[in-house]
Amino acid sequence: MNNINEKSSYHHGDLRETLLIVATEMLQENGINEVSLRKLASRVGVSRTAPYHHFKDKNALLCGMAEKGFEQLHQINKCGYEDEELSIREHFYRFIHDYIQFAHNNPDLYELMFGRTIWKDKSSTQELRDSAYPCFQFQVAMTQEWQKKGLFNVDDNALRVSQVLWGTVHGIAKLFIDGIYTDNSKIEEICDYAVSMFLAKSKEN
């Protein structure tokens, strides 16, 4: 990767964004233990102190990376949900497929977003929470809309339905990430089954 001129980056105000992009690349290449502010500065081509103007420590950097991940996932969910050419069932399939595909395409970032490194020790920043919580709240809003349109039982608790749905897609995603499911060609088939099982259950009620 070409070095980035520090003065130019500060002038244009994009050094923070560059640091997050490159740090995410480092995460994907070598894992979380190899991500450090010192190594990041060297790779970007700035002084060792430059990253500290944007991230006070490694935890702040990791939270910034996770924050960007949630923003990406939220945008993916919104694009699928707002596609007017899709039927209600297709919207639901799109949500399940896009979620699992995002996790599959970004395994290390996904692990960071939902892992204990940040959440277990309550190390999340306010900025990360402001990005993560709306992502789930949007899922609850989608569930409520699907209930109104007859996809799910309207009498069910939307929050609980969303939690079970999230637990399902998260579990499937983790099985692929952890190597328990190894045949990536079966992702779409598993998504189909997940959709069918949820909708079959909703028809029973």
Side-chain angles (χ1 to χ4, degrees), residues 11-59:
H11 176 71
H12 293 291
D14 61 0
L15 179 57
R16 186 180 190 277
E17 182 71 15
T18 298
L19 292 169
L20 288 173
I21 292 172
V22 176
T24 302
E25 291 174 357
M26 294 170 65
L27 174 71
Q28 293 171 337
E29 292 169 4
N30 300 303
I32 195 170
N33 291 333
E34 290 301 309
V35 177
S36 72
L37 291 168
R38 179 181 60 80
K39 292 179 180 179
L40 178 60
S42 176
R43 180 153 170 171
V44 172
V46 296
S47 68
R48 290 189 177 185
T49 60
Y52 288 94
H53 292 286
H54 303 275
F55 307 101
K56 67 177 183 178
D57 52 25
K58 180 176 178 177
N59 180 71

Side-chain angles (χ1 to χ4, degrees), residues 58-69:
K58 180 176 178 177
N59 180 71
L61 174 63
L62 295 178
C63 286
M65 295 159 62
E67 177 187 345
K68 297 292 290 185

Side-chain angles (χ1 to χ4, degrees), residues 81-121:
Y81 181 73
E82 294 172 357
D83 190 337
E84 297 180 354
E85 296 183 358
L86 300 179
S87 67
I88 299 300
R89 182 186 175 93
E90 288 171 334
H91 277 145
F92 182 54
Y93 173 84
R94 176 81 177 268
F95 164 74
I96 288 183
H97 181 273
D98 284 355
Y99 187 104
I100 295 172
Q101 195 65 53
F102 172 83
H104 177 257
N105 292 343
N106 306 277
D108 293 295
L109 178 60
Y110 185 85
E111 292 268 70
L112 176 63
M113 290 164 59
F114 293 100
R116 65 176 59 202
T117 299
I118 290 175
W119 299 105
K120 182 72 173 179
D121 297 326

